[in-house]
Structures are given as C-alpha cells and as structure tokens.
Amino acid sequence: MTGTLDASDATPVVDRETLLVELVDDQGNAAGSLPVAAAHTAPGQLHRAFSVLLFDDTGRVLLQQRAAVKTRFPLLWTNTCCGHPLPGQDVAEAAAVRLGEELGLSADLTEVGRFTYQASDPATGRVEYEFDHVLIGTAEGIAPQPNPDEVAEIEWVDPERLAAEVAENPDRYTPWLAGVLAAVAAHRN
C-alpha cells in the first residue's frame, strides 16, 4: 500500500458557477434554467434562490462572513447560509443540503416569506437578481463546522442589534440580508 488515494476515491470538486439555476417570472413561476455564472452576469436573470436564518435556544441568529473566494459579495456578513435550488428541486431540501455543506449543520427548516431583490457587486462586477425564499430553523446544540471554502467567520448575534447594525452600516452586509430580516420579522409579528 503506497498511502496515495486512487482518483476514484477522491470527492469530486464541483464548480458551483456551472450548476444550473431555475429562472423564474415575477411571481416565482419556473421559466427555464441557466448556469449560475450566466444568471449573475449583468444585467442578471431573475432566478430562484433561498436564504436560511438559524436561531439558537436564546433567540440569537447565526451569521456568516462570506469567504474571500466568493464570486459575489465576498467577505460581507450575511444570513446563516444561502444558495440556489437546482431546477425543479424542492427549496427546503436544497437549503438543508447547503446548510450542511457550508456549516456542517442540519435543522428543520420552515419557509416564512419571499422577496425579490437586485444588486450589483462593485468589487466583482457580478449581479444578484433573485426571487428569494426565506427559511428559518433552530440550531439544536450542535456547534457549526464552517467550511473555509464557503465561510470566513461566524457569529451569533441578537436579531434586534443586527437589524440596527444593518441599517447603520449596510456596506458590511450583503444586500439581501435586510430583506431576509424583514421577512422573518413579518412572520414573527
């Protein structure tokens, strides 16, 4: 035995920019598909996305700072995780998979709202134009295991303090975070 791995034993590396996203109309109805990179090239194509916000047992929310290698809004703070379901894939199922990939967590997720936003990233020239499904859940006693390819840092934050901080210093946060927080607040009120 040489101690080397056979190539068939290696986990394949997926270029997320080549995966397909589901294009949608203004009401969220499926309208085709496109690779991630193409959907995020200016002016952007409206497509389905999800944003997850996890709470702990004291009511704090888990934030992540996006990794420096992200093609859109790197190193900005955002909700627990986000991503895109594959065309036809159940949104909650896709969100649960992504939560595991980014943070090594699992949680029962509930959709609490939807909103559309469009934002350009001046640092990368990429565009977000997303019909975003907002899901919440509870992290139950399991410590996050951030994937360094996805997440630079994590932090548990009081949601009221976070809302005030996002309003005061929006350049530290992703442009969709305010919409996520608004959807969760509307659901809780």
Side-chain angles (χ1 to χ4, degrees), residues 37-180:
H40 291 91
T41 299
Q45 297 288 319
L46 183 59
H47 60 278
R48 192 174 314 284
F50 58 81
S51 293
V52 174
L53 195 61
L54 287 188
F55 292 82
D56 69 6
D57 57 0
T58 67
R60 297 179 304 170
V61 296
L62 179 60
L63 295 185
Q64 68 158 276
Q65 183 183 35
R66 293 169 61 83
V69 297
K70 292 285 194 175
T71 61
R72 296 167 305 280
F73 302 99
L75 296 176
L76 294 185
W77 286 90
T78 196
N79 46 282
T80 308
C81 83
C82 54
H84 309 98
L86 294 171
Q89 184 180 26
D90 179 76
V91 172
E93 174 189 305
V97 168
R98 196 73 183 125
L99 187 58
E101 292 171 347
E102 290 192 10
L103 294 158
L105 295 173
S106 62
D108 290 331
L109 300 174
T110 303
E111 186 170 327
V112 297
R114 299 173 183 172
F115 69 100
T116 299
Y117 71 95
Q118 189 168 15
S120 296
D121 183 354
T124 66
R126 304 305 290 276
V127 175
E128 295 279 5
Y129 187 22
E130 297 185 332
F131 185 90
D132 198 17
H133 297 253
V134 178
L135 299 102
I136 61 171
T138 303
E140 305 212 6
I142 300 171
Q145 308 271 325
N147 176 344
D149 294 334
E150 302 285 349
V151 180
E153 293 186 50
I154 60 170
E155 182 178 3
W156 288 99
V157 180
D158 175 81
E160 289 179 19
R161 187 186 82 150
L162 175 60
E165 177 66 22
V166 170
E168 291 172 20
N169 299 298
D171 293 343
R172 290 189 66 222
Y173 300 93
T174 58
W176 60 87
L177 182 56
V180 171

Side-chain angles (χ1 to χ4, degrees), residues 14-20 36-37 70 83-84 98 101 150:
V14 175
D15 179 357
R16 299 195 69 74
E17 295 295 299
T18 65
L19 296 176
L20 293 178
V36 169
K70 292 285 194 175
H84 309 98
R98 196 73 183 125
E101 292 171 347
E150 302 285 349

